[in-house]
Amino acid sequence: MSERVAIVTGGASGIGRAIAEGLADDGDRVVIADLNEATGKELADTIGGYFVKVDLSQRGDCKRLVDEALSHCGGVHILINNAGVQHIDPIEVFPEDTWDKMLAVMLTAPFLLTKYVWGSMKTHGWGRIVNISSIHGRVASPFKSAYITAKHGLIGFTRTAALEGGEHGITVNAICPAYVRTPLVESQIADQARTRGISTDDVVEQVMLEPAAVKRLITPEEVAALVVYLCSDIAGPITGADWAIDLGWTAR
């Protein structure tokens, strides 16, 4: 196809920004979905894309995002469910409203967006959906109950959608990174120090990097490179997989 249209949620910064730039470099028209209007519009202008301001915890915004993409671009061929939020607290004091919002953004929104783009992908007989899960979609850590629940659920949804999409030329995969150098991760360090009663330096060394064989944070561009590959024609046989970019976390 001459030009593919890709929706990237949380596309204004971090992993989402790197993915949007990578897909644009690959020749795709990118619809950037984010709450950060200033940064999102700036990036969309830079890469020749289109920006939609959305709150993915709101079901109506999920529908509006896809409707705008279809209206403005004529179709959707690629969906990257990347948007995420984090909150760190023990279960006994974890805010219930925060739980609801986190599951809405990281589990319900990917389901809704997949549902809404499915018809366009079926019409084209081709589609690529990549869900950005986490190493915490495979393993657990304390004090992240909502995040880990959502990311585990996202892998289950990925597998179900892959089974339904195969006959229509739609592949659905998940990527499970360990800690990536993003604003989301940087903001966790102080929270981890608070809940664990250790220093911020110890959080990086003992929590983020201790289980890893490769002792460094992942770059957003490294995640984006795998996304671009999974969205290619040559990756057509790959579906229902959860790809670990985990620095060796799960090698033990």
Side-chain angles (χ1 to χ4, degrees), residues 11 13 15 26 29-30 32 36 40 50 57 65 71 77 82 94-95 107 116 131 153 183-184 205 223 231:
S13 65
I15 295 172
D26 204 43
R29 180 79 183 279
V30 180
I32 298 165
N36 191 326
Y50 182 69
S57 69
L65 167 60
S71 174
H77 309 90
N82 164 76
F94 202 99
L107 190 55
Y116 300 146
N131 296 317
L184 184 68
E205 294 178 9
V223 179
C231 292

Side-chain angles (χ1 to χ4, degrees), residues 170-192:
I170 303 169
T171 68
V172 189
N173 292 286
I175 295 178
C176 301
Y179 288 99
V180 182
R181 191 176 294 280
T182 65
L184 184 68
V185 167
E186 297 289 349
S187 68
Q188 285 186 50
I189 296 175
D191 285 341
Q192 290 269 19

